[in-house]
Each structure stands twice: as structure tokens, then as C-alpha cells.
């Protein structure tokens, strides 16, 4: 591997790069959350069950997940500028196909093509600060995470306005506009040399196959899907033992701190994706809200998350990742528990409960990303962050599929939360109680593993 490192960027160069990185991230994240609020409309257009329409998000996230690790690996070998150029072009091409989609199959094809290119953006958004701005990475991670949180809330508002006034297909136009960032990113991202390495394509395909089988089992309760998952994972385990550069490095997974950090991030992100997936469906079923009103319900949380995320990056730099991540999980537990208790109250009050949970998202992202950059060797930053992104997106796919399957029940008489104030909304109350318990497990695992680790090591 070449010892040559990129030249140090000036302050103005760093600022411009971060700004443009946040712009392209906004397009990417909005692409996901815009379609969240459009899910009821898509289901109505194509006559789909919740477990079927969830593949608009799940299929996208599945490709995103595998792509995030693949692009992280590629970033350890090829110039980031080159990878991002290909990614943005594919992302816009998928959006163009989606704009003209006439059936569900065409829509899914468009989303998968989008994900193939769009996976470069969040994958590299955390690698760029670690590589080109190591001294400010905590603060930049906070800015990136705040952007993700804000865009996730801006997406429903935008999706509601466009989908309500026109048609959900017009949402793809905003993704096509991501092309405007390409010349600026090519100009401002530093040049790099190609470094030697190998890509485990077979390993990537096996992981994708395993996850697809798992999701098919969850959404359709198919034993065939479960068997496909088990077979693919078995072949993958045998494969990585012999491959000189496996898709997932077994040596990295032997680091108990790294593995715990990635696993708790997986659980934490499933909490956030679960909330963002359930709320639009719940808001339509319980409150009869329109698409734009669903966006307004989520927006205060996203705005609060943007503010807290920015401050959280500075807090990570001054206090370390450990206390910030603990705080984030406490907020996630509290917020989801409040939603579980108070579902059925007026929407503007429920928005405050959502706000509490929403602000946990950027804190989980920024503190975990900062922690991982210190746990993995510099030459493996790309694949280390790639694994982080892989598990995050997988958590979104799995949680959306699981919750989509439960939402097919439509109602239940079993109320698991004894203090929930409305008996007739037990299904949604139970789901948010499960989300809260998931955050409790994540907090327990993280605290137990890192309890003996010195703060200076974090």
C-alpha cells in the first residue's frame, strides 16, 4: 500500500467540502424519507399489503447495506472522488427510471438502481472526515449526522407537499437534481492514488443473498426464505475462511470492542428506522392524517435532531463517545416509551414524544462513527466504517420488514404496556414498547462491554 497521504486541506477547503457533502447527503436521505410518507399512496396505487409495500424501503435498504460495505472496501483501494462520481450518476439514473415507473416491478427496479449508486454517499460521508479531516472528525461527524437527521425530517414535508399536490412519482425529480453537486465534489475532494487490494465479490453476493432470504422469511413467513438464509450464511462462513481478502474480515470481528460498538449501533439504528417506518402508517390509520400532515408530525423531531446533532459532535470531541452514546440510548428509550403510552393523544402532542426519540439518532451515529475510527487501524478505516454502515442499513431493512409483518395484523387485543392510555390502539403501543426494550438491550450491551475501558481510549 502506498504511504503517500493526501495533502492537508486548508480551513476554507474543509468548509466547502463539508457543505457540499451535506448537500448531497440531504438529497440521499430525503430520497428515503420522502417515500416513507408516500408508502400509503404507493400501497393504494398498486393494491399492496404493508408487508409488500415495505419492499419499496426494504429492497432499497438491502442494496444500500451491502453497497455501503462494498464501497467502504473500495475506498481503501480507489480514490474517493472516482467512487463518488460513479455513485451519483447511478443514483440519478435510478431516479429517472422511477419518475416514469408504471408498475410495482418497475418502481422496485428504479429503487434498487438508485440504491446501487446512492450507497456511495453515506458510506463515504463518514470516511471523508476520517481521512481528510482527522483533527476535526468528531465535529464533522456531528455535522454529518445532524444533516442526516434534519433531511430525514425535511423529506416527509417535501414528500407530503409534492405527493399531495401532484403524484408520488415526482419525488424522484429531487434525486435527479443531485447531479448538480458532482462538479463541486470532483473539484474539492483531494486527489488520491490507487492502492493495491482485492474485492470479494462472491462474499458480497452471499451476504446479499443471506439477507434477502432472511427478509423474505420475515415478510412472507416463508421457510424457503429461512433455508436460503441459512445456506447462504453457511457457504459464506466457509468462503471467508479461504479468501485472502474476505468481504467481512474475521480478524476485525474478533475485536470485542469493535464488534460491540457495531452491534449496539445496529440495535440503535433499528430503533430509529422502526419509528420512522411505523409513524406514517400509524398516523394514517389512527389519526387519518394526509401525507403532508404526516410530514408535519415528523418535522419537529427532525429539526430538533439537527440542532442536537450539531452540538453532539462538539460534545463527542470534548467528552468522548462513551457518555454521548449512553445519553442517546436513554433518549431513545424514553421517547419510544412515551409514544407507546400516549398513542391516541392529539397529533401535536404526540409530535413532542416523537421529538424525544428523534434527537437520539444523530447522537448514536456521530458518537459510534467517532468511536470506530479510533478502534480500527487507519489503513482499514474504509472497511471499518463500511461494516458500521452495513449493519446500520441492515438494521433498517430487518426492522422495517419485521414491523411491516406485524402491521399486517392491523389490530390486536393484547396490550403489553399496562399504562398505555388507549385500549383500542394496542398494536401500535406494543410495537413502540418493543422498540423501547430494544434500546434498553443496546444500552446494556454497550455499557457492560465498555465499562472497564478508559475514557481516554474512547
Amino acid at each position: 500500500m502506498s504511504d503517500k497521504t493526501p495533502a492537508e486541506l486548508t480551513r476554507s477547503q474543509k468548509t466547502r467540502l463539508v457543505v457540499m457533502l451535506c448537500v448531497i447527503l440531504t438529497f440521499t436521505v430525503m430520497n428515503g424519507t420522502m417515500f416513507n410518507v408516500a408508502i400509503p399512496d404507493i400501497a393504494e396505487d398498486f393494491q399492496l399489503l404493508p408487508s409488500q409495500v415495505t419492499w419499496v424501503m426494504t429492497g432499497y435498504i438491502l442494496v444500500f447495506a451491502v453497497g455501503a460495505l462494498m464501497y467502504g472496501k473500495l475506498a481503501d483501494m480507489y480514490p474517493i472522488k472516482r467512487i463518488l462520481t460513479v455513485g451519483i450518476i447511478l443514483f440519478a439514473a435510478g431516479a429517472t427510471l422511477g419518475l416514469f415507473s408504471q408498475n410495482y416491478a418497475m418502481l422496485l427496479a428504479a429503487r434498487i438502481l438508485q440504491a446501487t449508486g446512492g450507497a456511495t454517499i453515506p458510506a463515504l460521508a463518514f470516511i471523508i472526515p476520517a481521512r481528510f479531516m482527522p483533527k476535526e472528525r468528531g465535529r464533522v461527524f456531528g455535522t454529518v449526522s445532524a444533516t442526516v437527521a434534519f433531511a430525514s425530517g425535511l423529506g416527509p414535508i417535501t414528500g407530503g407537499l409534492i405527493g399531495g399536490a401532484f403524484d408520488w412519482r415526482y419525488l424522484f425529480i429531487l434525486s435527479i437534481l443531485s447531479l448538480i453537486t458532482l462538479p463541486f465534489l470532483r473539484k474539492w475532494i483531494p486527489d488520491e492514488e490507487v492502492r493495491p487490494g482485492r474485492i470479494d465479490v462472491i462474499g458480497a453476493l452471499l451476504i446479499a443473498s443471506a439477507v434477502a432470504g432472511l427478509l423474505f422469511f420475515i415478510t412472507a413467513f416463508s421457510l424457503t426464505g429461512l433455508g436460503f438464509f441459512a445456506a447462504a450464511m453457511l457457504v459464506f462462513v466457509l468462503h471467508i475462511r479461504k479468501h485472502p481478502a474476505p468481504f467481512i474480515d474475521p480478524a476485525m470481528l474478533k475485536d470485542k470492542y469493535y464488534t460491540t460498538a457495531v452491534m449496539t449501533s445496529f440495535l440503535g439504528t433499528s430503533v430509529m428506522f422502526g419509528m420512522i417506518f411505523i409513524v406514517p402508517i400509524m398516523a394514517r390509520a389512527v389519526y387519518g392524517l394526509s401525507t403532508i400532515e404526516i410530514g408535519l408530525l415528523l418535522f419537529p423531531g427532525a429539526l430538533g435532531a439537527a440542532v442536537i446533532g450539531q452540538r453532539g459532535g462538539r460534545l463527542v470531541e470534548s467528552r468522548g463517545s462513551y457518555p454521548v452514546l449512553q445519553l442517546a440510548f436513554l433518549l431513545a428509550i424514553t421517547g419510544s416509551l412515551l409514544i407507546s403510552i400516549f398513542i391516541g393523544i392529539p397529533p401535536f402532542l404526540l409530535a413532542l414524544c416523537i421529538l424525544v426519540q428523534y434527537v437520539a439518532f444523530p447522537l448514536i451515529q456521530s458518537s459510534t462513527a467517532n468511536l470506530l475510527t479510533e478502534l480500527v487501524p487507519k489503513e482499514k478505516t474504509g472497511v471499518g466504517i463500511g461494516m458500521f454502515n452495513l449493519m446500520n442499513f441492515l438494521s433498517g431493512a430487518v426492522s422495517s420488514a419485521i414491523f411491516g409483518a406485524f402491521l399486517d395484523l392491523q389490530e390486536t387485543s393484547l396490550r403489553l404496556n399496562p399504562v398505555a392510555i388507549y385500549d383500542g390502539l394496542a398494536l401500535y403501543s406494543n410495537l413502540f414498547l418493543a422498540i423501547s426494550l430494544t434500546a434498553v438491550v443496546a444500552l446494556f450491551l454497550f455499557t457492560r462491554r465498555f465499562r472497564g475501558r478508559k475514557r481516554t481510549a474512547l
Side-chain angles (χ1 to χ4, degrees):
M1 181 175 292
S2 173
D3 294 329
K4 184 178 179 179
T5 57
E8 179 70 19
L9 298 177
T10 65
R11 181 166 183 164
S12 62
Q13 288 174 324
K14 291 176 182 178
T15 300
R16 287 182 299 184
L17 182 54
V18 171
V19 168
M20 194 51 57
L21 194 60
C22 290
V23 171
I24 187 61
L25 261 175
T26 300
F27 282 116
T28 311
V29 175
M30 284 178 60
N31 178 72
T33 57
M34 284 190 304
F35 283 93
N36 257 4
V37 297
I39 280 177
D41 296 329
I42 295 172
E44 185 177 341
D45 276 4
F46 297 124
Q47 298 296 303
L48 303 170
L49 291 171
S51 60
Q52 295 172 315
V53 74
T54 189
W55 279 95
V56 172
M57 299 301 300
T58 302
Y60 183 86
I61 295 170
L62 170 62
V63 178
F64 234 64
V66 179
L69 180 52
M70 178 64 78
Y71 288 124
K73 179 69 174 179
L74 288 173
D76 286 334
M77 299 165 51
Y78 298 100
I80 288 177
K81 181 185 298 186
R82 185 184 305 176
I83 299 171
L84 204 53
T85 298
V86 174
I88 293 174
I89 291 173
L90 289 175
F91 180 66
T96 303
L97 179 63
L99 180 62
F100 299 102
S101 60
Q102 298 300 312
N103 52 60
Y104 188 49
M106 191 173 178
L107 173 61
L108 285 181
R111 294 288 284 168
I112 290 172
L113 182 58
Q114 269 196 300
T116 302
T120 61
I121 298 165
L124 300 180
F126 285 98
I127 295 174
I128 288 173
R131 182 169 299 176
F132 303 125
M133 306 169 228
K135 295 179 181 178
E136 301 92 350
R137 69 173 184 270
R139 190 172 305 177
V140 178
F141 284 154
T143 300
V144 168
S145 299
T147 300
V148 171
F150 180 71
S152 68
L154 185 61
I157 293 289
T158 306
L161 287 171
I162 296 175
F166 303 101
D167 183 86
W168 56 264
R169 292 173 181 82
Y170 286 94
L171 299 176
F172 284 107
I173 293 176
L174 293 179
S175 300
I176 296 172
L177 292 177
S178 63
L179 287 170
I180 65 177
T181 65
L182 189 54
F184 299 101
L185 288 168
R186 286 192 59 82
K187 179 179 180 181
W188 293 334
I189 293 177
D191 293 323
E192 300 174 273
E193 292 183 340
V194 175
R195 296 170 288 273
R198 296 179 62 180
I199 298 297
D200 181 14
V201 177
I202 295 177
L205 292 175
L206 287 171
I207 283 292
S209 300
V211 175
L214 178 62
L215 295 177
F216 187 67
F217 166 70
I218 293 171
T219 56
F221 297 102
S222 168
L223 293 179
T224 301
L226 182 61
F228 195 73
F229 163 74
M233 284 302 299
L234 176 61
V235 175
F236 176 77
V237 170
L238 296 175
H239 170 76
I240 63 174
R241 290 181 177 179
K242 300 178 180 179
H243 199 281
F247 187 62
I248 296 178
D249 188 354
M252 185 175 292
L253 296 180
K254 291 179 181 178
D255 185 329
K256 61 183 181 180
Y257 294 111
Y258 176 83
T259 303
T260 301
V262 170
M263 181 53 64
T264 53
S265 178
F266 173 90
L267 294 173
T269 305
S270 69
V271 165
M272 304 314 301
F273 270 106
M275 183 270 289
I276 293 172
F277 177 75
I278 294 172
V279 166
I281 296 175
M282 178 190 73
R284 180 67 60 86
V286 176
Y287 296 100
L289 299 185
S290 66
T291 305
I292 181 62
E293 289 170 335
I294 294 172
L296 290 171
L297 181 67
L298 289 168
F299 186 71
L303 185 60
V307 175
I308 295 298
Q310 185 75 3
R311 296 178 181 273
R314 296 188 178 94
L315 192 61
V316 168
E317 285 190 343
S318 62
R319 299 291 300 274
S321 301
Y322 179 80
V324 177
L325 196 51
Q326 282 190 312
L327 173 63
F329 282 126
L330 289 174
L331 288 170
I333 293 167
T334 303
S336 51
L337 189 58
L338 287 173
I339 298 172
S340 174
I341 294 172
F342 293 111
I343 288 175
I345 62 175
F348 72 93
L349 293 176
L350 185 66
L352 297 178
C353 301
I354 294 172
L355 168 66
V356 176
Q357 182 174 349
Y358 223 127
V359 297
F361 180 67
L363 298 180
I364 292 174
Q365 292 284 293
S366 59
S367 55
T368 306
N370 187 69
L371 177 60
L372 291 177
T373 58
E374 297 184 349
L375 290 174
V376 300
K378 185 177 180 180
E379 67 274 10
K380 293 185 177 180
T381 299
V383 70
I385 295 295
M387 176 66 75
F388 162 69
N389 283 311
L390 169 71
M391 297 303 291
N392 282 346
F393 290 119
L394 281 183
S395 73
V398 172
S399 63
S400 296
I402 290 174
F403 292 131
F406 277 105
L407 286 170
D408 281 351
L409 298 175
Q410 297 184 354
E411 61 180 32
T412 179
S413 59
L414 177 63
R415 187 178 69 169
L416 299 178
N417 189 342
V419 295
I421 62 175
Y422 291 105
D423 291 337
L425 303 175
L427 174 61
Y428 299 104
S429 177
N430 293 347
L431 288 176
F432 278 100
L433 180 62
I435 288 175
S436 183
L437 293 176
T438 301
V440 169
V441 171
L443 176 61
F444 173 77
L445 291 176
F446 179 80
T447 302
R448 182 181 181 184
R449 175 61 67 195
F450 284 85
R451 181 180 296 164
R453 187 175 175 85
K454 293 183 180 179
R455 177 179 173 273
T456 53
L458 297 175

